[in-house]
Amino acid sequence: MTLFDGITARLVETPRLTVNILERVGDDPATPAERTVVLIHGNVSSSLFWQEIMQDLPGDLRVVAIDLRGFGGTESAPVDATRGVRDFSDDVHATLEALGLAAVHLVGWSMGAGVVMQYALDHPALSLTLQSPVSPYGFGGTRRDGSRVTDDDAGCGGGAANADFVQRVAAGDTGDEAPTSPRNVFRSGYVNADYDSDSEDVWVESMLSTSTRPGNYPGDGVPSPHWPGIAAGTTGVLNTLAPRYFDVSGIVDLETKPPILWIHGTADAIVSDTSFYDLNYLGQLGIVPGWPGADAAPAQEMVSQTRDVLEAYQAAGGEVTEVELEGVGHTPHLERPGRFRKALLETIGYIGRAADPALPTEAIIISSYD
């Protein structure tokens, strides 16, 4: 595990499983909850992805990054997808209890944002930062209003994964010869084309820490009578986001609503109204043959669904700030770290929200519902 300066790793024993966390040297375990930030990574990644932002956050905060089960240094316990992402969110809760932490500021990236939304449905949280979040209705197989397209979630889940990519993750492929290598998937899917970093090997290392054991990534699939012929199974990572198992739109009805920061990029290839990881959209483009049309297999309007739910959250009394970054991909905290840092610190109340004329155009908050 490649650790940056000032970052340490340790294992935390919980009643559920053994969890790996990253911390900063010198952070005070007695730091109050209102200055404690917990970071949850996304799919095919780990806590290693958070190291730069951990280094950059103020020293009087306590910052903890958690590896989800089957990622990084955490135990590769199987995932029961019929619980949605609750195996993950329950693991996070058990870890925080073991650390003596109650309600904290939660930051979730992609699938990790789904985990923190589920966490907020089950436990108190001081704030939620949702970076490039999965739609509140899951990944694939839903219409704009969240209704499911088929009764078996055709085109979703573990069976929809790219088999060659999965094999390359399992084999520890660090090269860039194949378009399905983890390195090239990072370059084409995780970040925009203008991103460059001396730490790319670490990001690939993080991706390769993903467990491909049965019950982990990607999960099982089952035959479907609906196009494209496969549907979500019951175990493994990708099936946790199938719409029959995952729906966190209930955050709208929370009695106590933590403030929410939604930060995302306009060039995100993964979470988008035109996602290149949505089989229905690929069918619409003719990349996956036999597409039966928009009535039978509509592309999922992921960003629009998130905006609908967060506008409803605001209308019900919640506070939501949207930061949309022009030309940024799936990973704002790597691509625009300064803007991510400022928005996060505003959300947790560490700094005020006065406009900063020095910020570049793409870093301006375009929507504030508070």
Side-chain angles (χ1 to χ4, degrees):
M1 183 179 295
T2 302
L3 298 178
F4 293 2
D5 290 345
I7 307 296
T8 64
R10 67 180 170 111
L11 297 178
V12 177
E13 298 295 336
T14 81
R16 295 177 57 79
L17 77 172
T18 302
V19 175
N20 184 69
I21 65 170
L22 299 188
E23 298 171 293
R24 303 188 305 182
V25 175
D27 277 6
D28 184 356
T31 301
E34 60 266 24
R35 287 194 284 113
T36 299
V37 178
V38 175
L39 307 167
I40 309 298
H41 65 82
N43 191 16
V44 192
S45 64
S46 74
S47 59
L48 293 182
F49 265 96
W50 292 117
Q51 293 187 92
E52 288 183 344
I53 202 68
M54 292 177 73
Q55 290 177 318
D56 288 344
L57 288 173
D60 57 344
L61 297 177
R62 184 184 184 189
V63 186
V64 178
I66 296 176
D67 281 338
L68 299 175
R69 66 169 61 194
F71 298 96
T74 292
E75 186 179 339
S76 298
V79 179
D80 179 0
T82 66
R83 304 186 68 232
V85 296
R86 289 178 182 87
D87 273 358
F88 295 132
S89 62
D90 288 352
D91 293 344
V92 170
H93 183 249
T95 304
L96 296 185
E97 282 197 319
L99 294 174
L101 296 170
V104 295
H105 297 286
L106 292 171
V107 179
W109 168 36
S110 193
M111 182 183 76
V115 173
V116 304
M117 284 188 276
Q118 182 62 58
Y119 188 101
L121 287 172
D122 300 328
H123 309 285
L126 296 182
S127 72
L128 305 179
T129 293
L130 311 177
Q131 176 181 243
S132 309
V134 63
S135 163
Y137 301 113
F139 199 92
T142 57
R143 303 176 183 88
R144 173 72 176 263
D145 64 0
S147 59
R148 293 165 60 201
V149 175
T150 65
D151 59 4
D152 61 354
D153 298 337
C156 301
N162 184 293
D164 191 63
F165 172 69
V166 176
Q167 291 173 3
R168 290 178 183 277
V169 170
D173 181 4
T174 61
D176 61 1
E177 294 79 12
T180 51
S181 71
R183 188 177 299 274
N184 280 330
V185 169
F186 170 80
R187 293 171 178 172
S188 64
Y190 285 41
V191 293
N192 199 20
D194 64 356
Y195 175 79
D196 183 57
S197 171
D198 292 337
S199 299
E200 185 179 85
D201 286 349
V202 181
W203 314 146
V204 173
E205 174 189 340
S206 179
M207 295 172 71
L208 293 175
S209 74
T210 301
S211 172
T212 56
R213 296 176 183 176
N216 293 126
Y217 182 81
D220 61 333
V222 296
S224 171
H226 308 288
W227 184 90
I230 52 94
T234 61
T235 64
V237 174
L238 294 186
N239 293 316
T240 66
L241 301 176
R244 80 168 103 174
Y245 307 133
F246 179 87
D247 183 347
V248 293
S249 62
I251 60 172
V252 170
D253 301 317
L254 285 173
E255 183 175 350
T256 301
K257 294 179 170 64
I260 291 178
L261 166 65
W262 174 28
I263 183 165
H264 60 110
T266 63
D268 192 336
I270 298 175
V271 175
S272 166
D273 286 1
T274 53
S275 168
F276 286 95
Y277 290 71
D278 177 6
L279 289 188
N280 286 0
Y281 181 62
L282 294 180
Q284 178 182 322
L285 295 180
I287 296 172
V288 179
W291 184 61
D295 289 340
Q300 184 187 10
E301 298 176 77
M302 302 176 187
V303 173
S304 296
Q305 288 176 332
T306 296
R307 181 167 286 112
D308 290 346
V309 169
L310 293 184
E311 287 182 347
Y313 187 88
Q314 178 268 333
E319 175 186 331
V320 178
T321 300
E322 177 185 359
V323 178
E324 183 176 73
L325 300 174
E326 186 67 31
V328 170
H330 192 58
T331 316
H333 77 278
L334 293 185
E335 298 171 73
R336 299 292 186 273
R339 189 63 192 96
F340 178 89
R341 178 185 187 274
K342 181 175 186 291
L344 172 60
L345 293 177
E346 289 173 342
T347 299
I348 69 174
Y350 188 87
I351 61 173
R353 300 190 179 192
D356 183 350
L359 288 173
T361 302
E362 73 271 18
I364 295 173
I365 294 178
I366 65 162
S367 300
S368 181
Y369 305 121
D370 60 346

